[in-house]
Amino acid sequence: MEFFLQLLVNGISLGFLYSLSALGFVMIFKSSSVLNLAHGELLAIGAFLFLAISTWAQLPIWLSFALTLVGTFLLGFIVERFFLRPLIGEDLIQVIMLTLGLGIMFKGLLLFVFGGDIHEYRTFLPEGLSLDLGIVRIPSVNVATFIIGILFLILFGFFFKYSSQGIYMRSVADNQSAALSLGVHVRRVFALSWAIAFIVAAMSGIVLGIINGINVHELSAIGLKVFPVVILGGLDSIGGAILGGIIIGLLETFTGGYISTSLREIIPYIVLIIILMVKPYGLFGLVEIERV
Amino acid sequence: MLNFLQSAGQGGGGKKKVQFMENDTRLQINNISVVYSDVIQVLKGVSLTIKKGQVVSLLGSNGAGKTTTLKAISGLLKPENGKVTEGYIEYDGESIQNSSPEDITRKGIIQVLEGRQEFKYLTVEENLRVGTATRWGKPYQKDLGLVYNYFPALLARKKALAGYCSGGELQMLVIGRALMAHPQLLLLDEPSLGLAPLLVKEIFQIIKRINQEQEATLMVVEQNANMALQIAHYGYVMENGKIVLESEAAELRENPDVKEFYLGTAASGALKSYKDVKAYKRRKRWL
Ligand SMILES: Nc1ncnc2c1ncn2[C@@H]1O[C@H](COP(=O)(O)OP(=O)(O)O)[C@@H](O)[C@H]1O
Ligand SMILES: [Mg+2]
């Protein structure tokens, strides 16, 4: 029972990380139909930026965190502006290939600057953050994950439901020509979706870095798990991305705990294949509203 | 009166008259040609003028080029790989051909697209809020009130997903949504399409009220010439990418050709083409 609960806690918190990172991926896909193959590298960029600011420049943690948020947000804008925007109007496949190239370029840059070793953040999470629930103890990193995960999910929930920019973003995903006809700045929406994708990917990259250490190859590989997550949840569903993330997180930890650790790494991709065969739009993909 | 103006023209009053004429014009389209995908020429030298405060209707059968004309004005040709290759379009004396939709909408030109293009997965009220995009950050509560005043049916449905609204509700929604943008020039593409006659009448009455109460200039594209000419001041008839007829709306209603082809009052009464509406799904994806 104790073991089960421990796995449950670990699974959900890992799942939150996947959800958060998938949120960024889905956002880009929803607004511009682009599959971002550089997604894994976005995690790594966030994690390394935080490393540089917090551990090397030794700035206070809260400030490093804030600077990483701002920094990745701006990076998202810059990347969209310089690389994606010139391809607006071109075939989708060209844009997707571009993201593949971007990913390789980012990875190369990170390797060049930080090398291929495993880095570590200085310890900063207070021990007091951990929770002792009697039967299970939730380590502080998991508590931090829950807090960050829930905070961001609520934040984006509110952003999309109530803010004007959030509603404009959804309108572009829904009917692009209608959005254009009303003067929605569609290119700005694309840029914003990249900026948000950079931020949420950075968040999950940082927390994964706290758990596993920071390594370019590992982080970009974990980033690839966004594919099983979004295929499971439905490429165009934000709610699906969140649930998909949690399901994959749980599956991984339970497979690792009860079956075998080597199976753990491949279980998400087994799920991916099964889902593609039985339910290609994912569990929560948008069902077209039919006119009656 | 005319005499007086002419004689005053010798002084400096003539200049005043010219200026008055210019200020009177909201939109001037001069001899434009529009080409899609660099090869398909659809408009072949179209000219038309829209005066401030007027309702102008553009009539013509399916495929004549009416929608293309509207899109040339609103800048929405670009995402479809269309281009104004010749001629010019001036709005309040400023050239706007081939400007981006973002810029054109911010000048106050809003097009209501053909076929009720709602945002399916947004609620009715969220749909209306998208209409504020050109005025982002400004208060919009009053405008919501205004739209609900014109279309009380929308108020009752404000929390419903637009995808579940009826055709009539949607037509109200897309017009209301455009009103949220405070349009100076509102371009309506076939607002009566596929609606029951009673509903069509209601919608046209509201369009007329919008023209009068909101001081918006309107251009209404229609195949339903009967309705359109009842509320219009001036009308154009288009065929095969050319304007073939234009005059005061009242006069147009009496024109025998219009009667025969568009009002369906002649013996042949060929009003069949109403229903075969084509939707252009093959527009180029604009990322
Ligand atoms: N995106 C497009 N690409 C190529 N041809 C088009 C496109 N849109 C419209 N056309 C062509 O232009 C002509 C006029 O279309 P349109 O302006 O939609 O007419 P209307 O609105 O009067 O029915 C049609 O023959 C149609 O085939
Ligand atoms: Mg048309």
Side-chain angles (χ1 to χ4, degrees), chain B residues 61-68 70 114 189-190 193 221 223 277-278 280:
Chain B
S61 52
N62 210 358
K66 306 180 298 296
T67 299
T68 302
L70 291 191
E114 185 174 16
D189 199 348
E190 307 215 25
L193 195 75
V221 159
Q223 292 187 45
V277 187
K278 289 181 246 166
Y280 291 99

Side-chain angles (χ1 to χ4, degrees), chain A residues 6-44:
Chain A
Q6 195 68 56
L7 287 179
L8 189 68
V9 168
N10 288 348
I12 293 178
S13 87
L14 183 66
F16 263 143
L17 293 176
Y18 291 163
S19 307
L20 208 53
S21 110
L23 192 66
F25 184 89
V26 168
M27 200 113 62
I28 292 176
F29 182 78
K30 260 182 94 86
S31 67
S32 58
S33 311
V34 172
L35 282 178
N36 175 21
L37 297 182
H39 188 78
E41 282 71 24
L42 303 197
L43 267 72

Side-chain angles (χ1 to χ4, degrees), chain A residues 88-89 92 161-162 164-165 167-168 170-171 174-176 178 181-183 187 190 287-289 291, chain B residues 76 79 102 105-106 117-121 126 129-130 132-134 136 163-164 170 177 284-287:
Chain A
I88 285 180
L92 209 45
K161 189 68 197 155
Y162 299 108
S164 294
Q165 278 306 331
I167 290 175
Y168 301 158
R170 281 163 57 213
S171 81
D174 196 313
N175 185 336
Q176 191 168 308
S181 78
L182 293 163
R187 283 163 301 167
F190 294 165
V287 188
E288 272 286 303
I289 296 178
R291 268 282 123 63
Chain B
L76 293 173
E102 286 93 350
T105 48
R106 274 160 187 74
Q117 304 284 324
E118 82 282 15
F119 302 113
K120 280 197 181 70
Y121 301 100
E126 285 169 346
R129 282 188 64 183
V130 181
T132 64
T134 52
W136 175 48
Y164 295 119
L170 287 180
R177 201 172 61 182
K284 190 170 160 90
R285 217 189 55 79
W286 201 57
L287 189 77

